[in-house]
Amino acid sequence: MSYETEADDAGELEVVVSSDDDDAQTDATVNAPANFEVTVDDYDETVVDGETLRFDTTIENTGDVPDEQAVVLALDGEPIDENSGLELDGGESQQVSFEQVIDEDPGEVEISIQTKDDSETVPVEILEPPVYTVDIDGTNEPVEEGDRLEVETTITNDGEAAGERGITLTADDEDVKEKAVDIEPDESTTITLGYETEPGDAPSADLEVSSPDDSATTTADIEEVPFFAVSDVDSTAPVDVGETVEVTATIENTGDGIESQTVGLYYDDDRVDERESLELGGDDSESVTFEYDTTSADVPTTNLTVATEDTDETIDITVDEPPLFDMEVIESPDTVVAGESIALTAAVDNEGTLEDTQTIELLVDDEVVNETERTIEGQESDTVTLTTETARDDPEETVDVTIT
């Protein structure tokens, strides 16, 4: 004899076998079938679109026999994740967790945990991600090259969730500053982004402030730093030693701002003349004149420098020493025979710096008896020989012979 048990027979079952004359009974244990029951423990009631949903649940086998089942995470009834092959003995339970990136339109959805025997469903709100809009309020323009350029910007979160976002400042297509901000939904914050400008950034910078969602642009003026350049340096040289030489130069402010500087004339690092408090606006220029009294140390050339606080230019000055023929007899006879010639040879040095032509004379007892002309360049030498005839009737006579 046999009997098909039913679900509610689980437990101790009294079995009786009887006839018309007698009966017998016994107790039988009926095991409950495996039943994987679902209990939701914890989950994210809201999740930002594109971010991860966390879901913790406990699965308990409320039956008496072991079994193996899959645990499924479903969104609006469609499976999106699965833990397959969960094995539980009768009466055993185990926590199952899911982490799943949600890619759905904002709104309410139903998230359920399903086994073959049971399921539990809860509502989850999918939020629009943070949307950071950008509005540039202004800059601290104009700034000079080398100064800090700052951009004041208002960032507004138009999304439904808070979240950290990077805000980037770009100058002329180059990222120069980044700052992270975290703003609650429908809230705003004002930030200042800045960077150090450099020489060459003038006359302006194209600026962009951007978030992952939005951007805004503006242009800021950058001025060149005042710079006093020196050009067109000239002088009244050449001059004779002891005279005053004038040096002129053009001073130009090649920058943008107004500046006042002292401009000087220098000799061997010593300031010998100056123009105090020369004030020039951007792109303005002015001619200045300096004076320098030459000395013998400047012969034949010297250097003078016109200098501003920013730069300098040097000019060569020619200083002339007047021609000066210095003579030295290098060959002369002590005695000659009456009637023969007297010859004197002299070295002639032009100790000046300028070429000159002079007459060289031979004198006998202060009377000119011969002469010649010589042209000698400055700082050069020549040799001159002059002769004169003696009288035959002047034996043993002593005469003074001079070359000059």
Side-chain angles (χ1 to χ4, degrees):
M1 298 179 67
S2 64
Y3 168 72
E4 294 292 332
T5 61
E6 297 178 357
D8 56 2
D9 291 335
E12 294 297 324
L13 183 66
E14 184 180 277
V15 179
V16 177
V17 180
S18 64
S19 67
D20 292 338
D21 304 312
D22 195 14
D23 61 54
Q25 70 177 33
T26 186
D27 292 331
T29 300
V30 178
N31 290 324
N35 180 60
F36 279 29
E37 186 176 280
V38 177
T39 301
V40 174
D41 299 324
D42 191 20
Y43 68 98
D44 294 327
E45 296 183 8
T46 61
V47 62
V48 177
D49 179 30
E51 296 187 358
T52 300
L53 171 68
R54 178 186 56 84
F55 216 99
D56 297 329
T57 184
T58 298
I59 308 300
E60 181 181 6
N61 182 358
T62 59
D64 296 319
V65 295
D67 197 8
E68 178 180 341
Q69 294 188 23
V71 181
V72 176
L73 176 69
L75 187 151
D76 287 338
E78 295 295 328
I80 58 174
D81 201 359
E82 179 178 309
N83 185 334
S84 60
L86 176 64
E87 297 182 7
L88 294 176
D89 292 332
E92 184 183 4
S93 63
Q94 183 173 321
Q95 187 177 71
V96 177
S97 297
F98 292 94
E99 289 187 352
Q100 179 67 32
V101 175
I102 300 300
D103 185 13
E104 296 289 331
D105 293 334
E108 186 174 283
V109 297
E110 291 186 342
I111 301 294
S112 59
I113 301 294
Q114 303 169 353
T115 66
K116 183 179 67 175
D117 307 312
D118 190 23
S119 69
E120 185 170 345
T121 301
V122 295
V124 172
E125 183 75 19
I126 298 178
L127 303 177
E128 182 183 15
V131 178
Y132 282 12
T133 59
V134 179
D135 293 295
I136 293 177
D137 303 321
T139 71
N140 63 333
E141 69 168 349
V143 298
E144 291 183 352
E145 291 176 332
D147 289 344
R148 183 175 178 82
L149 177 58
E150 296 182 341
V151 184
E152 188 173 280
T153 306
T154 297
I155 311 297
T156 302
N157 183 359
D158 289 335
E160 297 178 333
E164 186 175 282
R165 291 288 190 270
I167 308 299
T168 301
L169 172 63
T170 300
D172 293 330
D173 298 323
E174 181 180 352
D175 292 349
V176 293
K177 187 67 176 179
E178 184 170 353
K179 185 174 184 178
V181 295
D182 193 344
I183 309 173
E184 293 297 320
D186 298 323
E187 297 290 334
S188 298
T189 189
T190 299
I191 63 173
T192 300
L193 300 173
Y195 72 102
E196 302 298 326
T197 61
E198 298 178 350
D201 287 347
S204 63
D206 293 327
L207 304 174
E208 180 182 52
V209 180
S210 60
S211 73
D213 314 300
D214 190 26
S215 65
T217 60
T218 190
T219 299
D221 291 334
I222 301 176
E223 297 179 342
E224 290 186 67
V225 176
F227 186 92
F228 278 27
V230 181
S231 64
D232 302 330
V233 180
D234 201 0
S235 75
T236 57
V239 296
D240 289 341
V241 62
E243 293 182 345
T244 298
V245 62
E246 291 186 351
V247 178
T248 60
T250 298
I251 310 300
E252 181 181 6
N253 180 2
T254 59
D256 293 316
I258 298 176
E259 178 83 341
S260 177
Q261 291 190 16
T262 296
V263 183
L265 180 69
Y266 290 83
Y267 173 84
D268 286 343
D269 295 327
D270 293 327
R271 184 183 295 176
V272 294
D273 198 4
E274 66 181 20
R275 167 72 180 277
E276 293 184 353
S277 302
L278 175 61
E279 184 173 286
L280 296 174
D283 295 327
D284 288 345
S285 63
E286 186 172 324
S287 178
V288 295
T289 300
F290 303 99
E291 292 184 349
Y292 171 68
D293 296 329
T294 61
T295 69
S296 60
D298 300 321
V299 178
T301 60
T302 190
N303 296 325
L304 294 176
T305 300
V306 178
T308 68
E309 295 174 14
D310 304 311
T311 188
D312 59 67
E313 291 288 338
T314 299
I315 187 173
D316 293 333
I317 302 297
T318 298
V319 180
D320 293 324
E321 184 82 41
L324 176 62
F325 281 21
D326 181 64
M327 304 184 63
E328 180 183 0
V329 175
I330 58 175
E331 185 177 340
S332 64
D334 292 332
T335 61
V336 296
V337 177
E340 293 184 354
S341 298
I342 300 174
L344 264 69
T345 300
V348 183
D349 295 328
N350 184 356
E351 296 182 351
T353 58
L354 300 176
E355 179 184 283
D356 196 18
T357 300
Q358 294 189 18
T359 300
I360 311 299
E361 298 175 333
L362 180 67
L363 288 78
V364 175
D365 290 337
D366 297 327
E367 180 181 349
V368 177
V369 296
N370 199 0
E371 65 182 16
T372 187
E373 283 192 348
R374 283 290 191 272
T375 300
I376 305 176
E377 294 182 0
Q379 305 292 303
E380 296 294 334
S381 300
D382 199 359
T383 301
V384 177
T385 300
L386 293 176
T387 62
T388 185
E389 299 292 332
T390 60
R392 291 181 176 273
D393 56 353
D394 292 333
E396 296 184 2
E397 181 180 0
T398 300
V399 294
D400 293 326
V401 182
T402 306
I403 192 168
T404 181

